[in-house]
Amino acid sequence: MSGSSELKVAEKWDHAIELGVKRIGYGGLGGCAAALILFRSSRMRAGVVGLGIGLGLGITYAETKRDFETLSIEPPLAESQ
């Protein structure tokens, strides 16, 4: 039984890492595009790119936390004899 629960946890981690890389990348690209269009100062551009990356990281954290909480709430299956 522990093999299937370990597999579920591994799948959750794989999904979390994949989602994190995508969201951080999209946040950085969106921040970069907005920074290039809206700001002329390099410090402001860096700040907006950092904000975009932070938003992507925060969204990933919230969704991953929810995924792992649903994993721990599931009741264990009764073993048949």
Side-chain angles (χ1 to χ4, degrees):
M1 291 304 290
S2 67
S4 68
S5 64
E6 289 175 3
L7 183 61
K8 286 182 183 179
V9 171
E11 288 175 355
K12 294 285 185 182
W13 274 112
D14 288 343
H15 182 260
I17 291 170
E18 178 185 354
L19 189 65
V21 169
K22 286 181 182 178
R23 296 266 169 92
I24 291 170
Y26 293 151
L29 287 174
C32 185
L36 288 173
I37 293 171
L38 298 175
F39 300 106
R40 298 181 62 96
S41 167
S42 62
R43 287 186 184 193
M44 286 298 294
R45 287 180 179 173
V48 171
V49 171
L51 178 66
I53 291 172
L55 286 172
L57 184 63
I59 292 169
T60 301
Y61 174 77
E63 189 166 331
T64 302
K65 182 179 176 186
R66 188 186 67 230
D67 286 345
F68 277 103
E69 285 175 351
T70 60
L71 180 68
S72 64
I73 291 174
E74 295 174 1
L77 298 175
E79 294 183 27
S80 60
Q81 295 180 357

